Amino acid sequence: MNQLKWLIGLSSLSIVMGAAGCGGGGGGQSANNAGRAAVPVFVTDSPDTDNDHVWATIVKVEVLNATGTSVTVFEDSIGQSIDVKTLRDASGQRFAFLSNGSLAAGTYTSIRVTIGSSITIFPRSAGTGRTLPIDDSIARDSQGHAVIT
């Protein structure tokens, strides 16, 4: 099976962020946080009926502005392993909390997600999982993690 297909399947994994807080320097914000907003970062998934489990490791989530400058809103050097299949049920999307980052006021144009170099899938009714490498055509960081923008 094409390794890239698994990456595309994983691309249905969504990073969800929401601004909580306001810009301005007044009321309760310290000088270090003036002009910044809290940004809770969650992960979710879309429906996939082929697998009982899909384990992925999220290492970093960055938000980029129009010039390509990035702000890290989640980072874990070991990575956060998540069974993305648990992020949807009969009621719809479920969400896993990753972090509570913060961003300065501004316009952000994209998100860059760094994941482990492989995913592990458990096909429907299979007792064991298969570890599949992320396709080599995908950009990597210095530790070999896949980087997707």
Side-chain angles (χ1 to χ4, degrees), residues 32 55-56 76 80 105 129 133 144:
N32 291 339
W55 286 93
D76 182 329
Q80 175 102 18

Side-chain angles (χ1 to χ4, degrees), residues 50-123:
D50 295 338
N51 301 298
D52 285 337
H53 301 282
V54 178
W55 286 93
T57 302
I58 301 171
V59 178
K60 187 182 341 183
V61 177
E62 301 165 277
V63 180
L64 289 79
N65 66 18
T67 67
T69 302
S70 67
V71 177
T72 300
V73 293
F74 168 78
E75 186 167 21
D76 182 329
S77 61
I78 298 169
Q80 175 102 18
S81 292
I82 297 175
D83 179 0
V84 297
K85 283 295 293 179
T86 64
L87 301 178
R88 179 167 289 277
D89 63 17
S91 311
Q93 290 178 302
R94 316 262 310 150
F95 298 89
F97 178 75
L98 288 179
S99 73
N100 197 18
S102 86
L103 289 173
T107 301
Y108 296 89
T109 58
S110 59
I111 297 173
R112 181 167 50 214
V113 181
T114 303
I115 62 173
S117 59
S118 64
I119 60 173
T120 302
I121 64 162
F122 287 76

Side-chain angles (χ1 to χ4, degrees), residues 2-5 7 117 132-140 146:
N2 186 335
Q3 294 170 342
L4 188 55
K5 178 182 178 209
L7 177 62
S117 59
L132 300 171
I134 301 298
D135 194 88
D136 289 336
S137 66
I138 304 302
R140 303 293 170 133

